[in-house]
Amino acid sequence: MSNTEHMIKLEDVHKYFGKLHVLRGINLEVDRSDVVVLIGPSGSGKSTLLRCLNFLELAQQGSIYIDGQLVDPDSTNLDKVRARVGMVFQHFNLFPHKNVLENVTMAPINVRKEKKKAAREKARALLSQVGLEDKDRAYPSQLSGGQKQRVAIARALAMEPDIMLFDEATSALDPELVGEVLQVMQDLAAEGMTMLVVTHEMGFAREVADRVVMMDEGLIIEDNTPQQMFDSPKEERTSKFLRQVL
Amino acid sequence: MLSILQEHFFAFLEATSMTLRLTAISLLLAVAVGLIVAFLKLSPNRLLNGAANVYITVIRGTPLIVQLMFLYFGISRLIVLSSFWAGALALAIHAGAYVAEIFRGAIQSIDKGQMEASRSLGIPYWQSMRLVVLPQAFRRAVPPLGNQFIIGLKDSSLVAYLGVSEIYGTALSIQAENFQPFETYVVAGMYYLVLVLIFTLLVNRLEARLDVEKRRNEPEVPQLEYATP
Ligand SMILES: Nc1ncnc2c1ncn2[C@@H]1O[C@H](COP(=O)(O)OP(=O)(O)OP(=O)(O)O)[C@@H](O)[C@H]1O
Ligand SMILES: [Mg+2]
């Protein structure tokens, strides 16, 4: 792929849950290595948008391109696409019956068919990257929320994804644990990962994001640099929302 | 009573072995049947789903002894089977319905986020089931399965009416000879009781072992509801 190709591109994406029209024509482009922060009120469709991007939900209308390639759910192996699009959830969703190392190596061993030894070595490197090299034998129930989320990030990274999606990755954490997870995300951004991040951490958006995208009622209503978004929003709804969260 | 215990010690020993074999085979089959039916019931396909529902409804809605006779005479029309195997199959088909409900409940009790996290990593559906959901579901199914297995052990006594000499069947013939029905049935009951107690002990051990480490600091798992027959 050429470098000018967008890593993510959505064209007029619509998503319905029954009669509920949740995404009402989303157009979005994310360049390689860019960090885009998605903000917006509760129920505006931020999670749904992320879930459509790794096809946990299927959009009924519109086109989704990953790394320049149109993903048609009918003719594409979605498992292959998902392997390239990592996702980090609000509630971590670690596998409680597996220890940390097994959490991280499960997908590489079973999907990428990596050798166990190599997968473990890579997992250990990732764990030390997120500051958890000494926790490889621990079970999720023995970790703090911040540690769990860092394991979840390492688990997603083990598939060597091109894109990472974060859905309120720090919202379930005690305030004192938020920083360690944001730091890992910031490091990841610095390494050039393409990231789409739903978060209420406006400090993170301001510092790390290349663009901030404001959603409301299933539409993107503003797409701007962090500075302009926070200092001089164009839309009244944006400034109202920002007054509420800041 | 003691004299019955002594006199028929070997008969009851053999009967116990028969009961255990009958129970083990029928429950093993019931687990296989139950797992398949649980997936049919969870399937979005209406036909598969409906078939599973009919099976569960019929089994739950009719007495075991009727099912036993029905299947015994039904099966022996199609294929020649010893009464042992006919009985084991019938017990398996019966217990399978309850085991299916236990597995379905256990699978559904696993947080949806588990399957989603697994799929988001690119792990295909059935592999996610096998690697992520089922191991956790099995763990949760152990207590109700233990309960169902105890019921299965006791239910195996009905196979006596197909002419199998398990514990109850043996008691039936002994009391016909010695004219001491009360004492004989008490002895038979004691055999069942001891087996159930041993089995309960094993299940408790298994539960304790499964709990070690993996769930130590996790919130209480909601108690599964399961139907008693
Ligand atoms: N599986 C579903 N079935 C039916 N409705 C759904 C489903 N998932 C989401 N919705 C609805 O879609 C709308 C958008 O939900 P979504 O979770 O995408 O919002 P959000 O922007 O992430 O909100 P929040 O900030 O609260 O997480 C909501 O009205 C929600 O109730
Ligand atoms: Mg959300």
Side-chain angles (χ1 to χ4, degrees), chain A residues 54 56 78-79 82-83 85 87 89 92-95 97 103 106-108 110-111 155-156 159, chain B residues 111-133 136:
Chain A
N54 81 347
L56 287 175
L78 292 180
D79 290 320
R82 288 192 194 99
V85 182
M87 181 139 179
F89 301 86
F92 329 124
N93 299 347
L94 292 182
F95 306 134
H97 60 304
N103 263 274
M106 182 188 286
N110 287 286
V111 178
R155 177 176 72 176
M159 290 302 282
Chain B
D111 179 20
K112 267 195 182 161
Q114 291 289 308
M115 178 56 95
E116 286 189 346
S118 181
R119 300 303 307 279
S120 82
L121 292 164
I123 305 178
Y125 179 84
W126 283 107
Q127 220 172 354
S128 298
M129 224 4 141
R130 183 169 63 78
L131 294 170
V132 175
V133 177
Q136 297 181 62

mmCIF file of all heavy atoms in Angstrom, chain A residues 54 56 78-79 82-83 85 87 89 92-95 97 103 106-108 110-111 155-156 159, chain B residues 111-133 136:
data_model
loop_
_atom_site.group_PDB
_atom_site.id
_atom_site.type_symbol
_atom_site.label_atom_id
_atom_site.label_comp_id
_atom_site.label_asym_id
_atom_site.label_seq_id
_atom_site.Cartn_x
_atom_site.Cartn_y
_atom_site.Cartn_z
ATOM 1 N N ASN A 54 -14.121 -3.325 13.833
ATOM 2 C CA ASN A 54 -13.519 -4.666 13.815
ATOM 3 C C ASN A 54 -14.588 -5.741 13.704
ATOM 4 O O ASN A 54 -14.354 -6.897 14.010
ATOM 5 C CB ASN A 54 -12.521 -4.880 14.955
ATOM 6 C CG ASN A 54 -13.171 -5.232 16.256
ATOM 7 O OD1 ASN A 54 -14.379 -5.087 16.401
ATOM 8 N ND2 ASN A 54 -12.383 -5.705 17.190
ATOM 9 N N LEU A 56 -17.301 -6.632 15.077
ATOM 10 C CA LEU A 56 -18.114 -7.273 16.114
ATOM 11 C C LEU A 56 -19.578 -6.945 15.842
ATOM 12 O O LEU A 56 -20.479 -7.694 16.208
ATOM 13 C CB LEU A 56 -17.715 -6.764 17.505
ATOM 14 C CG LEU A 56 -16.381 -7.266 18.051
ATOM 15 C CD1 LEU A 56 -16.051 -6.603 19.373
ATOM 16 C CD2 LEU A 56 -16.395 -8.783 18.206
ATOM 17 N N LEU A 78 -13.545 -12.390 8.060
ATOM 18 C CA LEU A 78 -13.519 -11.319 9.060
ATOM 19 C C LEU A 78 -12.532 -11.619 10.190
ATOM 20 O O LEU A 78 -12.004 -10.714 10.814
ATOM 21 C CB LEU A 78 -14.914 -11.085 9.628
ATOM 22 C CG LEU A 78 -15.909 -10.493 8.626
ATOM 23 C CD1 LEU A 78 -17.265 -10.284 9.286
ATOM 24 C CD2 LEU A 78 -15.405 -9.168 8.066
ATOM 25 N N ASP A 79 -12.278 -12.912 10.445
ATOM 26 C CA ASP A 79 -11.304 -13.235 11.483
ATOM 27 C C ASP A 79 -9.927 -12.675 11.116
ATOM 28 O O ASP A 79 -9.186 -12.224 11.976
ATOM 29 C CB ASP A 79 -11.234 -14.753 11.686
ATOM 30 C CG ASP A 79 -12.497 -15.281 12.347
ATOM 31 O OD1 ASP A 79 -13.002 -14.604 13.260
ATOM 32 O OD2 ASP A 79 -12.988 -16.344 11.940
ATOM 33 N N ARG A 82 -10.094 -8.935 11.806
ATOM 34 C CA ARG A 82 -10.063 -8.663 13.247
ATOM 35 C C ARG A 82 -8.669 -8.838 13.824
ATOM 36 O O ARG A 82 -8.275 -8.135 14.750
ATOM 37 C CB ARG A 82 -11.022 -9.603 13.982
ATOM 38 C CG ARG A 82 -12.470 -9.276 13.738
ATOM 39 C CD ARG A 82 -13.345 -10.039 14.699
ATOM 40 N NE ARG A 82 -14.723 -9.978 14.268
ATOM 41 C CZ ARG A 82 -15.346 -10.941 13.603
ATOM 42 N NH1 ARG A 82 -14.714 -12.066 13.333
ATOM 43 N NH2 ARG A 82 -16.584 -10.786 13.229
ATOM 44 N N ALA A 83 -7.928 -9.800 13.274
ATOM 45 C CA ALA A 83 -6.579 -10.029 13.777
ATOM 46 C C ALA A 83 -5.697 -8.805 13.534
ATOM 47 O O ALA A 83 -4.728 -8.586 14.249
ATOM 48 C CB ALA A 83 -5.978 -11.265 13.100
ATOM 49 N N VAL A 85 -6.911 -5.691 13.557
ATOM 50 C CA VAL A 85 -7.488 -4.535 14.243
ATOM 51 C C VAL A 85 -7.659 -4.892 15.721
ATOM 52 O O VAL A 85 -8.585 -5.597 16.085
ATOM 53 C CB VAL A 85 -8.856 -4.166 13.621
ATOM 54 C CG1 VAL A 85 -9.420 -2.929 14.307
ATOM 55 C CG2 VAL A 85 -8.722 -3.939 12.123
ATOM 56 N N MET A 87 -8.447 -4.514 19.703
ATOM 57 C CA MET A 87 -9.462 -3.745 20.423
ATOM 58 C C MET A 87 -9.245 -3.892 21.926
ATOM 59 O O MET A 87 -8.995 -4.985 22.428
ATOM 60 C CB MET A 87 -10.856 -4.230 20.041
ATOM 61 C CG MET A 87 -11.965 -3.459 20.723
ATOM 62 S SD MET A 87 -13.317 -3.143 19.566
ATOM 63 C CE MET A 87 -14.463 -2.274 20.595
ATOM 64 N N PHE A 89 -11.075 -3.060 25.609
ATOM 65 C CA PHE A 89 -12.424 -2.823 26.116
ATOM 66 C C PHE A 89 -12.390 -2.115 27.465
ATOM 67 O O PHE A 89 -11.430 -2.226 28.223
ATOM 68 C CB PHE A 89 -13.164 -4.151 26.276
ATOM 69 C CG PHE A 89 -13.286 -4.941 24.996
ATOM 70 C CD1 PHE A 89 -12.260 -5.795 24.598
ATOM 71 C CD2 PHE A 89 -14.414 -4.835 24.193
ATOM 72 C CE1 PHE A 89 -12.363 -6.530 23.421
ATOM 73 C CE2 PHE A 89 -14.520 -5.565 23.021
ATOM 74 C CZ PHE A 89 -13.498 -6.411 22.630
ATOM 75 N N PHE A 92 -11.855 -4.663 30.254
ATOM 76 C CA PHE A 92 -10.664 -5.500 30.081
ATOM 77 C C PHE A 92 -10.954 -6.810 29.352
ATOM 78 O O PHE A 92 -10.270 -7.143 28.397
ATOM 79 C CB PHE A 92 -9.966 -5.826 31.413
ATOM 80 C CG PHE A 92 -10.095 -4.748 32.464
ATOM 81 C CD1 PHE A 92 -10.619 -5.024 33.717
ATOM 82 C CD2 PHE A 92 -9.722 -3.436 32.182
ATOM 83 C CE1 PHE A 92 -10.740 -4.030 34.674
ATOM 84 C CE2 PHE A 92 -9.842 -2.442 33.135
ATOM 85 C CZ PHE A 92 -10.360 -2.729 34.386
ATOM 86 N N ASN A 93 -11.932 -7.577 29.879
ATOM 87 C CA ASN A 93 -12.274 -8.866 29.291
ATOM 88 C C ASN A 93 -11.077 -9.803 29.154
ATOM 89 O O ASN A 93 -10.920 -10.487 28.150
ATOM 90 C CB ASN A 93 -12.930 -8.688 27.916
ATOM 91 C CG ASN A 93 -14.221 -7.908 27.995
ATOM 92 O OD1 ASN A 93 -14.766 -7.706 29.083
ATOM 93 N ND2 ASN A 93 -14.722 -7.455 26.868
ATOM 94 N N LEU A 94 -10.242 -9.822 30.172
ATOM 95 C CA LEU A 94 -9.185 -10.834 30.184
ATOM 96 C C LEU A 94 -9.814 -12.199 30.401
ATOM 97 O O LEU A 94 -10.914 -12.302 30.943
ATOM 98 C CB LEU A 94 -8.181 -10.538 31.304
ATOM 99 C CG LEU A 94 -7.337 -9.281 31.121
ATOM 100 C CD1 LEU A 94 -6.355 -9.145 32.279
ATOM 101 C CD2 LEU A 94 -6.579 -9.309 29.800
ATOM 102 N N PHE A 95 -9.116 -13.239 29.991
ATOM 103 C CA PHE A 95 -9.638 -14.593 30.173
ATOM 104 C C PHE A 95 -9.261 -15.058 31.583
ATOM 105 O O PHE A 95 -8.088 -15.323 31.864
ATOM 106 C CB PHE A 95 -9.059 -15.528 29.109
ATOM 107 C CG PHE A 95 -9.270 -15.018 27.706
ATOM 108 C CD1 PHE A 95 -8.225 -15.023 26.798
ATOM 109 C CD2 PHE A 95 -10.507 -14.518 27.301
ATOM 110 C CE1 PHE A 95 -8.406 -14.546 25.498
ATOM 111 C CE2 PHE A 95 -10.697 -14.038 26.014
ATOM 112 C CZ PHE A 95 -9.637 -14.051 25.111
ATOM 113 N N HIS A 97 -9.558 -17.722 33.295
ATOM 114 C CA HIS A 97 -9.057 -19.073 33.558
ATOM 115 C C HIS A 97 -7.647 -19.265 33.020
ATOM 116 O O HIS A 97 -7.090 -20.363 33.107
ATOM 117 C CB HIS A 97 -10.002 -20.105 32.947
ATOM 118 C CG HIS A 97 -10.160 -19.958 31.459
ATOM 119 N ND1 HIS A 97 -10.576 -18.786 30.868
ATOM 120 C CD2 HIS A 97 -9.953 -20.828 30.451
ATOM 121 C CE1 HIS A 97 -10.623 -18.956 29.550
ATOM 122 N NE2 HIS A 97 -10.237 -20.186 29.284
ATOM 123 N N ASN A 103 -2.951 -15.542 28.408
ATOM 124 C CA ASN A 103 -3.835 -14.550 27.809
ATOM 125 C C ASN A 103 -3.189 -13.934 26.574
ATOM 126 O O ASN A 103 -3.820 -13.778 25.545
ATOM 127 C CB ASN A 103 -4.163 -13.451 28.823
ATOM 128 C CG ASN A 103 -5.479 -13.665 29.531
ATOM 129 O OD1 ASN A 103 -6.525 -13.261 29.024
ATOM 130 N ND2 ASN A 103 -5.446 -14.313 30.685
ATOM 131 N N MET A 106 -2.465 -16.692 23.605
ATOM 132 C CA MET A 106 -3.527 -17.541 23.058
ATOM 133 C C MET A 106 -3.757 -17.305 21.561
ATOM 134 O O MET A 106 -3.743 -18.241 20.759
ATOM 135 C CB MET A 106 -4.835 -17.321 23.819
ATOM 136 C CG MET A 106 -5.944 -18.220 23.297
ATOM 137 S SD MET A 106 -7.553 -17.831 24.001
ATOM 138 C CE MET A 106 -7.358 -18.496 25.631
ATOM 139 N N ALA A 107 -3.978 -16.059 21.193
ATOM 140 C CA ALA A 107 -4.275 -15.782 19.787
ATOM 141 C C ALA A 107 -3.078 -16.037 18.871
ATOM 142 O O ALA A 107 -3.230 -16.674 17.829
ATOM 143 C CB ALA A 107 -4.814 -14.365 19.636
ATOM 144 N N PRO A 108 -1.879 -15.569 19.245
ATOM 145 C CA PRO A 108 -0.737 -15.853 18.365
ATOM 146 C C PRO A 108 -0.529 -17.352 18.122
ATOM 147 O O PRO A 108 -0.248 -17.765 17.009
ATOM 148 C CB PRO A 108 0.455 -15.250 19.122
ATOM 149 C CG PRO A 108 -0.134 -14.183 19.960
ATOM 150 C CD PRO A 108 -1.510 -14.664 20.341
ATOM 151 N N ASN A 110 -2.837 -19.832 18.451
ATOM 152 C CA ASN A 110 -3.950 -20.522 17.809
ATOM 153 C C ASN A 110 -4.345 -19.946 16.462
ATOM 154 O O ASN A 110 -4.915 -20.651 15.643
ATOM 155 C CB ASN A 110 -5.161 -20.515 18.740
ATOM 156 C CG ASN A 110 -4.972 -21.461 19.908
ATOM 157 O OD1 ASN A 110 -5.051 -22.670 19.738
ATOM 158 N ND2 ASN A 110 -4.679 -20.918 21.080
ATOM 159 N N VAL A 111 -4.066 -18.674 16.246
ATOM 160 C CA VAL A 111 -4.478 -18.062 14.983
ATOM 161 C C VAL A 111 -3.281 -17.855 14.056
ATOM 162 O O VAL A 111 -3.314 -18.227 12.895
ATOM 163 C CB VAL A 111 -5.187 -16.716 15.233
ATOM 164 C CG1 VAL A 111 -5.559 -16.063 13.918
ATOM 165 C CG2 VAL A 111 -6.415 -16.925 16.102
ATOM 166 N N ARG A 155 -2.068 -8.130 25.086
ATOM 167 C CA ARG A 155 -2.733 -9.237 24.403
ATOM 168 C C ARG A 155 -3.126 -8.843 22.980
ATOM 169 O O ARG A 155 -2.941 -9.615 22.035
ATOM 170 C CB ARG A 155 -3.971 -9.645 25.206
ATOM 171 C CG ARG A 155 -4.787 -10.742 24.572
ATOM 172 C CD ARG A 155 -5.930 -11.173 25.458
ATOM 173 N NE ARG A 155 -6.987 -10.169 25.526
ATOM 174 C CZ ARG A 155 -8.137 -10.336 26.166
ATOM 175 N NH1 ARG A 155 -8.365 -11.462 26.810
ATOM 176 N NH2 ARG A 155 -9.046 -9.386 26.192
ATOM 177 N N ALA A 156 -3.651 -7.622 22.838
ATOM 178 C CA ALA A 156 -4.039 -7.161 21.496
ATOM 179 C C ALA A 156 -2.796 -6.949 20.630
ATOM 180 O O ALA A 156 -2.779 -7.316 19.450
ATOM 181 C CB ALA A 156 -4.852 -5.880 21.600
ATOM 182 N N MET A 159 -0.953 -9.764 18.479
ATOM 183 C CA MET A 159 -1.368 -10.131 17.119
ATOM 184 C C MET A 159 -0.729 -9.211 16.076
ATOM 185 O O MET A 159 -1.025 -9.308 14.893
ATOM 186 C CB MET A 159 -2.890 -10.093 17.001
ATOM 187 C CG MET A 159 -3.584 -11.204 17.771
ATOM 188 S SD MET A 159 -3.053 -12.845 17.243
ATOM 189 C CE MET A 159 -3.992 -13.020 15.722
ATOM 190 N N ASP B 111 -19.826 -14.062 30.662
ATOM 191 C CA ASP B 111 -19.931 -12.695 30.160
ATOM 192 C C ASP B 111 -19.685 -12.639 28.651
ATOM 193 O O ASP B 111 -18.733 -13.221 28.148
ATOM 194 C CB ASP B 111 -18.887 -11.850 30.909
ATOM 195 C CG ASP B 111 -18.888 -10.403 30.449
ATOM 196 O OD1 ASP B 111 -19.901 -9.968 29.868
ATOM 197 O OD2 ASP B 111 -17.874 -9.722 30.674
ATOM 198 N N LYS B 112 -20.575 -11.944 27.952
ATOM 199 C CA LYS B 112 -20.443 -11.805 26.497
ATOM 200 C C LYS B 112 -19.099 -11.225 26.080
ATOM 201 O O LYS B 112 -18.596 -11.495 25.000
ATOM 202 C CB LYS B 112 -21.542 -10.867 25.986
ATOM 203 C CG LYS B 112 -22.792 -11.533 25.523
ATOM 204 C CD LYS B 112 -23.573 -10.503 24.737
ATOM 205 C CE LYS B 112 -24.899 -11.010 24.245
ATOM 206 N NZ LYS B 112 -25.773 -9.870 23.917
ATOM 207 N N GLY B 113 -18.558 -10.391 26.955
ATOM 208 C CA GLY B 113 -17.272 -9.755 26.671
ATOM 209 C C GLY B 113 -16.157 -10.760 26.440
ATOM 210 O O GLY B 113 -15.174 -10.461 25.762
ATOM 211 N N GLN B 114 -16.299 -11.963 26.999
ATOM 212 C CA GLN B 114 -15.285 -12.989 26.811
ATOM 213 C C GLN B 114 -15.226 -13.430 25.357
ATOM 214 O O GLN B 114 -14.159 -13.494 24.754
ATOM 215 C CB GLN B 114 -15.589 -14.189 27.713
ATOM 216 C CG GLN B 114 -15.402 -13.886 29.190
ATOM 217 C CD GLN B 114 -13.940 -13.727 29.540
ATOM 218 O OE1 GLN B 114 -13.122 -14.577 29.224
ATOM 219 N NE2 GLN B 114 -13.602 -12.626 30.174
ATOM 220 N N MET B 115 -16.390 -13.756 24.804
ATOM 221 C CA MET B 115 -16.446 -14.146 23.401
ATOM 222 C C MET B 115 -15.991 -12.987 22.519
ATOM 223 O O MET B 115 -15.215 -13.173 21.581
ATOM 224 C CB MET B 115 -17.884 -14.571 23.052
ATOM 225 C CG MET B 115 -18.117 -14.955 21.615
ATOM 226 S SD MET B 115 -17.049 -16.263 20.984
ATOM 227 C CE MET B 115 -18.030 -17.722 21.207
ATOM 228 N N GLU B 116 -16.426 -11.776 22.852
ATOM 229 C CA GLU B 116 -16.056 -10.624 22.019
ATOM 230 C C GLU B 116 -14.559 -10.366 22.041
ATOM 231 O O GLU B 116 -13.955 -10.093 21.004
ATOM 232 C CB GLU B 116 -16.797 -9.381 22.505
ATOM 233 C CG GLU B 116 -18.249 -9.417 22.127
ATOM 234 C CD GLU B 116 -18.960 -8.115 22.408
ATOM 235 O OE1 GLU B 116 -18.395 -7.274 23.141
ATOM 236 O OE2 GLU B 116 -20.068 -7.946 21.888
ATOM 237 N N ALA B 117 -13.971 -10.456 23.227
ATOM 238 C CA ALA B 117 -12.535 -10.229 23.317
ATOM 239 C C ALA B 117 -11.802 -11.268 22.472
ATOM 240 O O ALA B 117 -10.863 -10.942 21.744
ATOM 241 C CB ALA B 117 -12.079 -10.303 24.766
ATOM 242 N N SER B 118 -12.277 -12.492 22.549
ATOM 243 C CA SER B 118 -11.629 -13.555 21.798
ATOM 244 C C SER B 118 -11.783 -13.334 20.285
ATOM 245 O O SER B 118 -10.821 -13.434 19.529
ATOM 246 C CB SER B 118 -12.222 -14.898 22.217
ATOM 247 O OG SER B 118 -11.599 -15.939 21.522
ATOM 248 N N ARG B 119 -12.996 -13.008 19.871
ATOM 249 C CA ARG B 119 -13.224 -12.744 18.443
ATOM 250 C C ARG B 119 -12.416 -11.543 17.982
ATOM 251 O O ARG B 119 -11.918 -11.503 16.861
ATOM 252 C CB ARG B 119 -14.710 -12.499 18.155
ATOM 253 C CG ARG B 119 -15.652 -13.641 18.509
ATOM 254 C CD ARG B 119 -15.309 -14.947 17.830
ATOM 255 N NE ARG B 119 -15.173 -14.885 16.382
ATOM 256 C CZ ARG B 119 -16.187 -14.914 15.525
ATOM 257 N NH1 ARG B 119 -17.414 -15.010 15.956
ATOM 258 N NH2 ARG B 119 -15.963 -14.865 14.231
ATOM 259 N N SER B 120 -12.301 -10.522 18.853
ATOM 260 C CA SER B 120 -11.583 -9.310 18.444
ATOM 261 C C SER B 120 -10.102 -9.598 18.200
ATOM 262 O O SER B 120 -9.423 -8.835 17.532
ATOM 263 C CB SER B 120 -11.741 -8.211 19.491
ATOM 264 O OG SER B 120 -10.821 -8.400 20.557
ATOM 265 N N LEU B 121 -9.624 -10.707 18.748
ATOM 266 C CA LEU B 121 -8.239 -11.092 18.509
ATOM 267 C C LEU B 121 -8.084 -11.891 17.215
ATOM 268 O O LEU B 121 -6.988 -12.288 16.861
ATOM 269 C CB LEU B 121 -7.714 -11.930 19.682
ATOM 270 C CG LEU B 121 -7.547 -11.176 21.001
ATOM 271 C CD1 LEU B 121 -7.403 -12.146 22.160
ATOM 272 C CD2 LEU B 121 -6.339 -10.256 20.929
ATOM 273 N N GLY B 122 -9.212 -12.152 16.570
ATOM 274 C CA GLY B 122 -9.154 -12.908 15.328
ATOM 275 C C GLY B 122 -9.347 -14.402 15.525
ATOM 276 O O GLY B 122 -9.178 -15.183 14.597
ATOM 277 N N ILE B 123 -9.714 -14.809 16.746
ATOM 278 C CA ILE B 123 -9.944 -16.228 17.000
ATOM 279 C C ILE B 123 -11.348 -16.580 16.502
ATOM 280 O O ILE B 123 -12.315 -15.943 16.920
ATOM 281 C CB ILE B 123 -9.798 -16.558 18.501
ATOM 282 C CG1 ILE B 123 -8.422 -16.095 19.011
ATOM 283 C CG2 ILE B 123 -9.994 -18.046 18.759
ATOM 284 C CD1 ILE B 123 -8.187 -16.325 20.494
ATOM 285 N N PRO B 124 -11.478 -17.573 15.622
ATOM 286 C CA PRO B 124 -12.794 -17.913 15.057
ATOM 287 C C PRO B 124 -13.777 -18.384 16.130
ATOM 288 O O PRO B 124 -13.385 -18.755 17.238
ATOM 289 C CB PRO B 124 -12.482 -19.056 14.091
ATOM 290 C CG PRO B 124 -11.036 -18.895 13.767
ATOM 291 C CD PRO B 124 -10.397 -18.339 14.995
ATOM 292 N N TYR B 125 -15.073 -18.395 15.759
ATOM 293 C CA TYR B 125 -16.137 -18.645 16.736
ATOM 294 C C TYR B 125 -15.957 -19.948 17.514
ATOM 295 O O TYR B 125 -15.939 -19.955 18.743
ATOM 296 C CB TYR B 125 -17.506 -18.653 16.032
ATOM 297 C CG TYR B 125 -18.647 -18.921 16.988
ATOM 298 C CD1 TYR B 125 -19.211 -17.896 17.734
ATOM 299 C CD2 TYR B 125 -19.153 -20.218 17.163
ATOM 300 C CE1 TYR B 125 -20.240 -18.140 18.631
ATOM 301 C CE2 TYR B 125 -20.181 -20.469 18.052
ATOM 302 C CZ TYR B 125 -20.728 -19.429 18.776
ATOM 303 O OH TYR B 125 -21.737 -19.673 19.660
ATOM 304 N N TRP B 126 -15.832 -21.051 16.809
ATOM 305 C CA TRP B 126 -15.798 -22.339 17.518
ATOM 306 C C TRP B 126 -14.538 -22.494 18.342
ATOM 307 O O TRP B 126 -14.539 -23.107 19.411
ATOM 308 C CB TRP B 126 -15.977 -23.510 16.557
ATOM 309 C CG TRP B 126 -17.411 -23.622 16.173
ATOM 310 C CD1 TRP B 126 -17.963 -23.301 14.967
ATOM 311 C CD2 TRP B 126 -18.504 -24.023 17.019
ATOM 312 N NE1 TRP B 126 -19.323 -23.466 15.024
ATOM 313 C CE2 TRP B 126 -19.689 -23.915 16.256
ATOM 314 C CE3 TRP B 126 -18.601 -24.453 18.345
ATOM 315 C CZ2 TRP B 126 -20.948 -24.228 16.766
ATOM 316 C CZ3 TRP B 126 -19.855 -24.768 18.859
ATOM 317 C CH2 TRP B 126 -21.003 -24.657 18.070
ATOM 318 N N GLN B 127 -13.457 -21.920 17.828
ATOM 319 C CA GLN B 127 -12.222 -21.960 18.601
ATOM 320 C C GLN B 127 -12.355 -21.105 19.868
ATOM 321 O O GLN B 127 -11.866 -21.488 20.933
ATOM 322 C CB GLN B 127 -11.080 -21.448 17.738
ATOM 323 C CG GLN B 127 -9.809 -22.223 17.924
ATOM 324 C CD GLN B 127 -8.756 -21.825 16.910
ATOM 325 O OE1 GLN B 127 -9.007 -21.051 15.988
ATOM 326 N NE2 GLN B 127 -7.574 -22.369 17.076
ATOM 327 N N SER B 128 -13.043 -19.969 19.749
ATOM 328 C CA SER B 128 -13.280 -19.125 20.924
ATOM 329 C C SER B 128 -14.124 -19.877 21.936
ATOM 330 O O SER B 128 -13.902 -19.808 23.143
ATOM 331 C CB SER B 128 -14.000 -17.837 20.523
ATOM 332 O OG SER B 128 -13.219 -17.087 19.637
ATOM 333 N N MET B 129 -15.122 -20.594 21.430
ATOM 334 C CA MET B 129 -15.958 -21.422 22.287
ATOM 335 C C MET B 129 -15.083 -22.401 23.065
ATOM 336 O O MET B 129 -15.184 -22.541 24.281
ATOM 337 C CB MET B 129 -16.900 -22.197 21.375
ATOM 338 C CG MET B 129 -18.336 -22.330 21.716
ATOM 339 S SD MET B 129 -18.992 -21.513 23.119
ATOM 340 C CE MET B 129 -20.514 -20.953 22.680
ATOM 341 N N ARG B 130 -14.223 -23.097 22.348
ATOM 342 C CA ARG B 130 -13.418 -24.163 22.937
ATOM 343 C C ARG B 130 -12.351 -23.623 23.894
ATOM 344 O O ARG B 130 -12.133 -24.180 24.963
ATOM 345 C CB ARG B 130 -12.738 -24.957 21.803
ATOM 346 C CG ARG B 130 -11.931 -26.146 22.252
ATOM 347 C CD ARG B 130 -11.529 -26.998 21.059
ATOM 348 N NE ARG B 130 -10.672 -26.295 20.114
ATOM 349 C CZ ARG B 130 -9.361 -26.100 20.310
ATOM 350 N NH1 ARG B 130 -8.776 -26.537 21.384
ATOM 351 N NH2 ARG B 130 -8.654 -25.453 19.398
ATOM 352 N N LEU B 131 -11.736 -22.516 23.512
ATOM 353 C CA LEU B 131 -10.609 -22.023 24.304
ATOM 354 C C LEU B 131 -11.038 -21.108 25.435
ATOM 355 O O LEU B 131 -10.403 -21.058 26.483
ATOM 356 C CB LEU B 131 -9.629 -21.246 23.404
ATOM 357 C CG LEU B 131 -8.898 -22.044 22.341
ATOM 358 C CD1 LEU B 131 -8.172 -21.106 21.379
ATOM 359 C CD2 LEU B 131 -7.909 -23.008 22.984
ATOM 360 N N VAL B 132 -12.109 -20.357 25.216
ATOM 361 C CA VAL B 132 -12.447 -19.289 26.163
ATOM 362 C C VAL B 132 -13.741 -19.569 26.929
ATOM 363 O O VAL B 132 -13.763 -19.537 28.152
ATOM 364 C CB VAL B 132 -12.549 -17.936 25.424
ATOM 365 C CG1 VAL B 132 -13.019 -16.842 26.367
ATOM 366 C CG2 VAL B 132 -11.213 -17.575 24.800
ATOM 367 N N VAL B 133 -14.813 -19.856 26.195
ATOM 368 C CA VAL B 133 -16.123 -19.927 26.853
ATOM 369 C C VAL B 133 -16.316 -21.269 27.577
ATOM 370 O O VAL B 133 -16.660 -21.295 28.760
ATOM 371 C CB VAL B 133 -17.258 -19.692 25.839
ATOM 372 C CG1 VAL B 133 -18.618 -19.830 26.509
ATOM 373 C CG2 VAL B 133 -17.109 -18.302 25.219
ATOM 374 N N GLN B 136 -14.607 -22.057 30.999
ATOM 375 C CA GLN B 136 -15.219 -21.323 32.112
ATOM 376 C C GLN B 136 -16.610 -21.863 32.420
ATOM 377 O O GLN B 136 -17.024 -21.956 33.580
ATOM 378 C CB GLN B 136 -15.317 -19.839 31.775
ATOM 379 C CG GLN B 136 -13.958 -19.192 31.577
ATOM 380 C CD GLN B 136 -14.088 -17.713 31.260
ATOM 381 O OE1 GLN B 136 -14.593 -16.944 32.057
ATOM 382 N NE2 GLN B 136 -13.634 -17.314 30.081
#
